[in-house]
Amino acid sequence: MSRQLRSNFVVAILIALVAGIVSITASDTEKERVFQGVWVDGFEIAAFFEGASATDIPTLQMPSDGWLTFDEGQWPSEARSPNLPNWNETAFFEISFVGQKKVGRAGHMDQYLAEFTVERLISIDRVEPEDTRP
């Protein structure tokens, strides 16, 4: 192998290594933006259905878009407080927030394919699925 060929080979390997390291360490977190949808909160569940609304509330059998979590100080304590009646039952909320989506396993036992993080809550309203409405 000539000296020039060997040199080109070493450079090609170094470029491949750098490209591999960059792709491995690249973030799967999307840019901060406004999200709107339905959050289902309950025992071992914090499912977020992006784009859903009070008129088309998802069922628990439907696959969600991901796990919803809140940055420190963003928990909607007035809407989801232990002081409210039936607070420990599964509840549905129409929610709008500024936050980020990170693709990758998340939530209880990593059963969700993404994690949505609420960085600033815009609005939240409790809604009821049709099968529980009077």
Side-chain angles (χ1 to χ4, degrees), residues 17-97:
L17 284 172
V18 168
I21 290 170
V22 167
S23 68
I24 289 171
T25 59
S27 173
D28 290 331
T29 302
E30 294 180 3
K31 290 183 179 179
E32 181 181 273
R33 66 181 176 94
V34 174
F35 291 92
Q36 181 280 322
V38 171
W39 166 44
V40 182
D41 184 44
F43 179 69
E44 298 178 348
I45 183 171
F48 180 63
F49 297 85
E50 187 174 6
S53 68
T55 58
D56 66 339
I57 297 172
T59 67
L60 294 178
Q61 290 73 36
M62 296 171 69
S64 73
D65 294 300
W67 177 266
L68 186 73
T69 188
F70 293 82
D71 269 356
E72 188 172 334
Q74 293 302 309
W75 179 257
S77 58
E78 292 179 18
R80 193 66 169 146
S81 166
N83 299 326
L84 296 172
N86 304 327
W87 77 272
N88 58 339
E89 294 177 5
T90 300
F92 294 73
F93 297 89
E94 190 170 32
I95 186 170
S96 179
F97 62 92

